[in-house]
């Protein structure tokens, strides 16, 4: 495609081993600062990916729940105001990210999707979320489990056997705590570790590199 050609041109110019690609489309030059212009603005960014430390996967992370549902959850936007406003409490509580919940339902993190294990079922929210690329990739990889896309209540999350989030630049990250509540043993679970290993093998196969 034409966009693909632009992306490869940019990658060749940057010469990074691995890059995070972000495509931004705006309404263009507005005549009054509100209405869109006659022609959209199209920008492609390429940023070098810095791999996170292994202890993030070995020890897992804590999430802070926050009552919030994005107005257009299925659309990828640059609106991270809630996450920005909460950065100080996240640092204080040593939490990795916000977990958006609404009326007792679990939705998504500010920049990630969430999954839980209950028995041999792998469950992830179906609606009210941005269905991320890594989320969809993990669903296809998890063929050894009974994968279900449906509503998850906050109580189901807190009483789940295991939980993890998926992030495009970090893969699968175990979740061991929500606020002050530990998930099961408070350690990354076996099923989550199995998926992490399978995910890393598949990414290595697709990229031709070893993790």
């Amino acid at each position: 495609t034409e966009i693909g050609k632009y992306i490869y041109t940019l990658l060749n110019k940057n010469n990074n081993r691995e890059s995070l690609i972000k495509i931004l489309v705006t309404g263009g030059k507005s005549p009054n600062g509100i209405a869109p212009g006659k022609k959209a603005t199209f920008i492609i960014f390429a940023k070098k990916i810095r791999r996170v430390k292994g202890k993030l996967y070995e020890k897992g992370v804590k999430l802070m729940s926050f009552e919030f549902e994005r107005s257009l959850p299925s659309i990828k936007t640059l609106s991270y105001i809630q996450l920005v406003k909460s950065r100080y409490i996240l640092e204080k509580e040593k939490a990795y990210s916000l977990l958006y919940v609404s009326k007792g339902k679990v939705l998504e993190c500010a920049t990630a999707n969430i999954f839980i294990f209950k028995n041999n079922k792998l469950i992830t929210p179906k609606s009210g979320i941005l269905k991320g690329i890594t989320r969809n990739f993990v669903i296809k990889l998890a063929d050894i489990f009974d994968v279900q896309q449906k509503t998850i209540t906050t109580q189901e999350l807190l009483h789940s056997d295991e939980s993890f989030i998926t992030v495009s630049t970090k893969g699968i990250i175990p979740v061991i705590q929500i606020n002050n509540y530990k998930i099961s043993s408070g350690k990354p679970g076996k099923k989550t570790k199995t998926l992490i290993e399978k995910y890393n093998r598949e990414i290595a196969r697709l990229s031709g590199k070893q993790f």
Side-chain angles (χ1 to χ4, degrees):
T1 64
E2 188 174 3
I3 293 177
K5 292 178 181 178
Y6 289 140
I7 290 174
Y8 280 111
T9 298
L10 184 60
L11 290 175
N12 290 331
K13 287 181 178 294
N14 279 270
N15 199 32
N16 294 328
R17 183 177 179 184
E18 291 183 288
S19 294
L20 169 65
I21 301 298
K22 181 171 289 188
I23 299 174
L24 177 63
V25 180
T26 76
K29 186 176 180 181
S30 173
N32 57 12
I34 299 175
K38 294 181 179 180
K39 187 177 181 180
T41 299
F42 181 79
I43 306 171
I44 304 175
F45 298 93
K47 181 180 179 181
K48 183 178 181 180
I49 292 180
R50 299 186 183 279
R51 290 291 171 185
V52 296
K53 296 181 179 179
K55 69 177 184 179
L56 195 72
Y57 306 96
E58 296 166 4
K59 294 186 176 182
V61 298
K62 172 183 177 181
L63 303 178
M64 295 293 295
S65 65
F66 186 79
E67 186 75 18
F68 180 71
E69 182 172 0
R70 295 187 295 125
S71 58
L72 297 169
S74 62
I75 298 175
K76 182 73 172 178
T77 72
L78 296 179
S79 178
Y80 298 121
I81 185 64
Q82 299 301 333
L83 181 59
V84 173
K85 287 170 64 177
S86 304
R87 66 188 187 281
Y88 295 118
I89 190 170
L90 289 175
E91 291 175 2
K92 180 182 177 181
E93 296 294 331
K94 297 181 180 179
Y96 181 79
S97 183
L98 291 179
L99 172 64
Y100 295 151
V101 298
S102 178
K103 300 176 183 178
K105 296 188 299 182
V106 175
L107 297 174
E108 58 190 342
C109 288
T111 58
N113 290 112
I114 189 163
F115 290 74
I116 67 169
F117 274 111
K118 191 62 179 179
N119 300 321
N120 201 46
K121 296 178 181 178
L122 177 61
I123 311 170
T124 188
K126 181 179 181 179
S127 60
I129 63 170
L130 174 67
K131 297 180 179 180
I133 294 173
T134 307
R135 170 192 181 274
N136 298 337
F137 186 60
V138 168
I139 288 174
K140 292 179 180 179
L141 281 180
D143 53 6
I144 58 174
F145 303 108
D146 177 9
V147 182
Q148 299 182 3
Q149 299 181 53
K150 66 177 187 176
T151 298
I152 299 174
T153 67
T154 52
Q155 288 301 309
E156 286 174 327
L157 169 60
L158 297 179
H159 293 93
S160 61
D161 299 330
E162 302 177 29
S163 179
F164 64 83
I165 56 175
T166 54
V167 189
S168 59
T169 57
K170 300 177 180 67
I172 298 171
I173 303 175
V175 175
I176 60 167
Q177 187 172 337
I178 308 293
N179 302 330
N180 296 321
Y181 297 91
K182 289 184 178 180
I183 301 296
S184 190
S185 66
K187 297 179 180 179
K190 292 182 179 179
K191 293 183 177 69
T192 300
K193 290 180 179 179
T194 296
L195 268 183
I196 291 175
E197 292 172 359
K198 189 173 184 181
Y199 175 89
N200 287 342
R201 286 197 303 269
E202 186 63 11
I203 292 297
R205 184 187 70 81
L206 293 171
S207 63
K209 296 191 289 292
Q210 293 296 318
F211 277 64

